[in-house]
Amino acid sequence: MLGLGLCISRASASALNLNCSLVLLPMCRSLLTFVRGTHKVSSRKMRRLLNKSKTFHVACGVAICIFSVLHVSAHLVNVVNFSASYSDEFPALNLARYRGEDPKLILLTTIPGVTGLLLVLILFLMFISSLHCIRASYYEIFWYTHNLFIVFYAILMMHIVGGALKYQTNMEAHPPGCLRSNQSSTGHQLQEQEPAEDGGPRCGEEPHFQHHYPQTWLWVSAPLCLYCAERVYRYIRSIDPVTIVAVVQHPCNVMELRMLKRNFKARPGQYILLNCPGVSSFENHPFTLTTCPFENKQTFGIHLRVVGDWTDRFTQLLLPPPKLGLEILPMVQQRRYPKIFVDGPFGSASEDVFNYDVSLCVAGGIGVTPFACVLRALLDGWTGVKLRRLYFVWVCRELQSFYWFADLLCALHQKLWRENRPDYFNLMLYVSQGDKLQNLSEEKYQVLTPRLQIGRPRWKLLLSDIGRANTGKRVGVFCCGPKGISRTLHRLCNSNPHTGTTFEFNKETFS
C-alpha cells in the first residue's frame, strides 16, 4: 500500500526521536557548569568538548530540520498512497475513509496531519529566526520563537497518539497471503493454517491491526525532565534580589555595571544571564563577568556595549537623560536603578586559561570582557593557578576602546614589575583603523604606549614566535571576537606552525 514511503517515514522518525532528545542536553547550563568545575571528573579534554556544547546544539537542530523534511515528504507520499491504494480487503488498515479521498482532507481531519502541520510551522519559525542575520539584528524575534520549543514538545507528544501507521498483531493465526474462508455455523473458527484445496494455508482468523507503540516519549522524557528540573533550579536561584552598586560610562558606548548579590560565587571566565523586567520580562541576555567576587570584595561586574534595542532601553533606565530646567534634589536622595535579575554564573572556555602553563588570549573589541576578569584575578592575587606565562593580544578599531581596561592593564603591569616577573605578562595592543599611531593621552597610561601598534596582528608570525619561546609546551589559545580572527587562529593552531609546541584552540561561545 505504501511502498518505500513507509520505510523512509519510520527511519526518519527514529532519527528525529534521537535528535529531539539530544538537543536539550547542551542547554542544561548549570549541569555543564558543574561538570566543568569538577576537575576530578572532567579532564581538560572533557572540558574542551563541553566548549562545543553550542555547536552540538546547532548540529542537532540542523539534523532535526533535515530529518523533518524527509519525514514530512515521506508521509505526503504515504497520504497519497493511502487514498489511491485504498484496501477494500483490510479496511482497518486504511488511514483514508474511502478510495480516492482528497489527501488534503486527510491531512486536515486527522490528528497526525494537523499536529504534523503545526510542528512544521513551529520548526520553520525557529529555524528562520536562528539564522545569524536575524539573530544578530532582531534578537527578540529569535528569543521568543526559540522558546516555542515548549509548544513543540507538547504537540510532538500529541502527534504520536494519532497512529497513522499500523501493524498486524496475529501473524501466526493470519499469515500474509493466507486463504480466507467463512466461519462455520457453530461459530468456531477454522483450524490455524489448515491446508486448502490448492495447497495454500487457510486463515485461522481475521487479521487484527494495532497502532505502533509510541516511542517518542521514551526518548524525550528523560532529557525533558532534566531540563525542566534545571530551569526550576535556575528560577529559584535567580529570584534573589540584585543590588546595583554603580554604573560607569566608558568611551565607545560601553557601560560598566557593578552589582551585589547574596551568596554569589563565580570563577574568572564565567558569564551570567541578565534579565531586566523594565525592558522585557522574558528576555535573558548573556554577559561575561569582568569582575568576580574575591575574599572581602563581594561585588561583581559586567561591561555591555550599546548595540541593539535591548541594550539601548536598558541603558536609558540606568542613565536617564537629564531633566531640563533647574531642579534641586535633596542631597540624601539616591539614584533609583531598575530592578534586575541575574541567573548564573555559567561556565565557558575562558575558565581554562589558568589550566595551561602558557596561555594566549586574543580579544577583538568588546570581546575582551572574559579576559578582563582573568587579568583582574591575577591582580587580586588568585592562588593555586598553573599559569606561568600569559600572552594577551587586544585588537580594537578605535584607540578610545583601550580606556575600558587601561587602569587594569597598567596596574597588573606595575604589580608584576614590582614582583620581578616582567616576562609573566606579555601585552600587545593593536589599533586596526588609524592613519598614524596615537598615544594614550593621560600620563598614567604611558606604560601602554610602547605596546601600541597600527594595523592587525600577523598571526602566523606571532604563533611562530610564541612556539619558539615555549618549545615542547602545550599552549592554550583562547579567542573571543570576530569570526575572521577565530577562523584564522583555529586554522593555524591545527596546522601546528612551530614544531615541538602544541597549540590548543578554545573559542569563547555562549548564547
Side-chain angles (χ1 to χ4, degrees):
M1 183 184 295
L2 299 183
L4 188 61
L6 173 64
C7 305
I8 297 177
S9 61
R10 294 286 293 169
S12 57
S14 299
L16 283 171
N17 289 337
L18 173 64
N19 285 278
C20 286
S21 63
L22 295 179
V23 74
L24 291 173
L25 296 180
M27 294 297 99
C28 297
R29 303 173 190 260
S30 298
L31 177 62
L32 297 182
T33 302
F34 172 77
V35 175
R36 185 192 299 273
T38 310
H39 296 282
K40 295 182 179 180
V41 177
S42 61
S43 61
R44 188 164 60 193
K45 291 183 178 180
M46 180 64 180
R47 293 194 297 272
R48 293 189 66 206
L49 286 177
L50 295 179
N51 296 338
K52 300 290 185 178
S53 59
K54 179 182 177 182
T55 304
F56 182 75
H57 176 76
V58 173
C60 291
V62 173
I64 290 175
C65 294
I66 293 175
F67 288 112
S68 294
V69 172
L70 291 176
H71 187 71
V72 171
S73 301
H75 268 314
L76 290 178
V77 175
N78 290 340
V79 169
V80 175
N81 288 333
F82 269 125
S83 176
S85 304
Y86 184 87
S87 176
D88 297 314
E89 186 177 6
F90 307 108
L93 196 60
N94 296 288
L95 182 64
R97 288 172 283 266
Y98 52 87
R99 183 182 299 275
E101 184 179 5
D102 189 355
K104 296 189 292 294
L105 186 62
I106 299 177
L107 288 175
L108 297 177
T109 56
T110 58
I111 294 179
V114 175
T115 55
L117 292 176
L118 293 176
L119 290 173
V120 169
L121 177 61
I122 294 175
L123 191 61
F124 176 78
L125 293 176
M126 294 175 65
F127 175 78
I128 294 298
S129 62
S130 299
L131 298 177
H132 182 267
C133 57
I134 296 180
R135 188 174 71 251
S137 303
Y138 306 98
Y139 184 82
E140 296 84 357
I141 297 178
F142 161 76
W143 176 260
Y144 288 114
T145 54
H146 227 63
N147 277 279
L148 289 175
F149 80 95
I150 302 174
V151 183
F152 180 86
Y153 278 99
I155 299 178
L156 184 63
M157 294 301 180
M158 298 173 57
H159 181 69
I160 61 179
V161 176
L165 302 178
K166 303 176 184 178
Y167 70 97
Q168 186 179 339
T169 59
N170 57 342
M171 296 289 292
E172 295 182 358
H174 187 101
C178 67
L179 299 178
R180 305 171 69 184
S181 107
N182 296 328
Q183 296 179 347
S184 63
S185 59
T186 58
H188 296 288
Q189 297 177 340
L190 297 177
Q191 294 296 323
E192 182 177 328
Q193 299 185 19
E194 179 183 349
E197 295 179 357
D198 57 357
R202 284 192 178 276
C203 305
E205 60 184 25
E206 291 297 322
H208 301 296
F209 301 101
Q210 182 177 327
H211 302 301
H212 285 278
Y213 182 76
Q215 296 183 349
T216 301
W217 71 272
L218 295 175
W219 292 85
V220 175
S221 57
L224 191 60
C225 291
L226 179 63
Y227 179 80
C228 293
E230 177 179 290
R231 289 307 299 261
V232 172
Y233 165 74
R234 285 170 50 186
Y235 173 77
I236 296 174
R237 183 178 60 175
S238 63
I239 60 177
D240 289 338
V242 178
T243 303
I244 299 179
V245 178
V247 177
V248 182
Q249 191 168 9
H250 293 283
C252 303
N253 283 335
V254 171
M255 307 293 299
E256 180 181 359
L257 188 63
R258 299 173 187 170
M259 297 165 284
L260 182 64
K261 183 179 179 180
R262 181 171 55 89
N263 297 329
F264 183 84
K265 297 179 181 179
R267 297 188 297 269
Q270 293 186 327
Y271 70 96
I272 61 173
L273 295 178
L274 187 64
N275 175 270
C276 180
V279 179
S280 176
S281 300
F282 301 102
E283 291 185 40
N284 296 275
H285 289 257
F287 294 98
T288 307
L289 292 172
T290 53
T291 305
C292 285
F294 178 71
E295 291 184 355
N296 296 328
K297 186 178 66 175
Q298 298 300 319
T299 58
F300 62 97
I302 61 172
H303 282 63
L304 59 94
R305 192 166 193 173
V306 184
V307 292
D309 296 337
W310 190 91
T311 52
D312 183 59
R313 295 195 299 268
F314 184 52
T315 303
Q316 293 177 5
L317 294 178
L318 292 175
L319 297 176
K323 296 182 179 180
L324 299 177
L326 297 177
E327 182 177 358
I328 302 177
L329 297 177
M331 296 297 296
V332 297
Q333 182 174 348
Q334 298 180 353
R335 182 188 301 176
R336 297 187 61 182
Y337 293 111
K339 186 178 182 180
I340 62 173
F341 298 97
V342 169
D343 185 13
F346 303 105
S348 67
S350 300
E351 287 187 72
D352 280 340
V353 172
F354 295 125
N355 295 325
Y356 289 88
D357 291 328
V358 181
S359 291
L360 167 63
C361 298
V362 179
I366 197 62
V368 71
T369 51
F371 309 126
C373 199
V374 172
L375 300 179
R376 202 175 299 275
L378 295 176
L379 180 63
D380 292 337
W382 278 55
T383 59
V385 297
K386 185 179 179 182
L387 186 64
R388 294 295 175 263
R389 180 172 294 177
L390 176 63
Y391 295 88
F392 180 64
V393 181
W394 189 7
V395 185
C396 291
R397 293 183 179 180
E398 302 172 346
L399 183 67
Q400 290 77 12
S401 300
F402 295 117
Y403 284 105
W404 302 339
F405 299 104
D407 291 324
L408 173 61
L409 296 174
C410 292
L412 181 59
H413 178 271
Q414 294 171 0
K415 176 180 182 284
L416 295 174
W417 272 79
R418 288 194 302 267
E419 297 175 355
N420 196 22
R421 294 191 296 166
D423 294 335
Y424 187 94
F425 181 52
N426 300 270
L427 176 63
M428 289 162 275
L429 306 176
Y430 291 87
V431 183
S432 59
Q433 294 182 358
D435 298 332
K436 61 180 180 178
L437 184 61
Q438 301 175 353
N439 297 333
L440 295 173
S441 57
E442 299 186 30
E443 184 178 354
K444 63 179 180 179
Y445 300 144
Q446 293 308 310
V447 68
L448 303 179
T449 301
R451 292 158 178 82
L452 277 173
Q453 300 184 49
I454 287 276
R456 300 180 182 275
R458 300 171 63 182
W459 298 113
K460 187 174 182 179
L461 180 61
L462 176 62
L463 291 185
S464 297
D465 292 341
I466 295 176
R468 283 192 295 268
N470 302 275
T471 304
K473 295 184 178 180
R474 190 178 299 272
V475 179
V477 180
F478 299 85
C479 179
C480 185
K483 289 185 178 180
I485 297 178
S486 63
R487 289 197 192 100
T488 302
L489 287 174
H490 198 180
R491 176 175 51 82
L492 292 175
C493 290
N494 292 337
S495 63
N496 197 6
H498 187 77
T499 306
T501 304
T502 303
F503 292 92
E504 292 186 351
F505 181 79
N506 301 270
K507 181 67 169 67
E508 181 70 25
T509 57
F510 53 83
S511 59

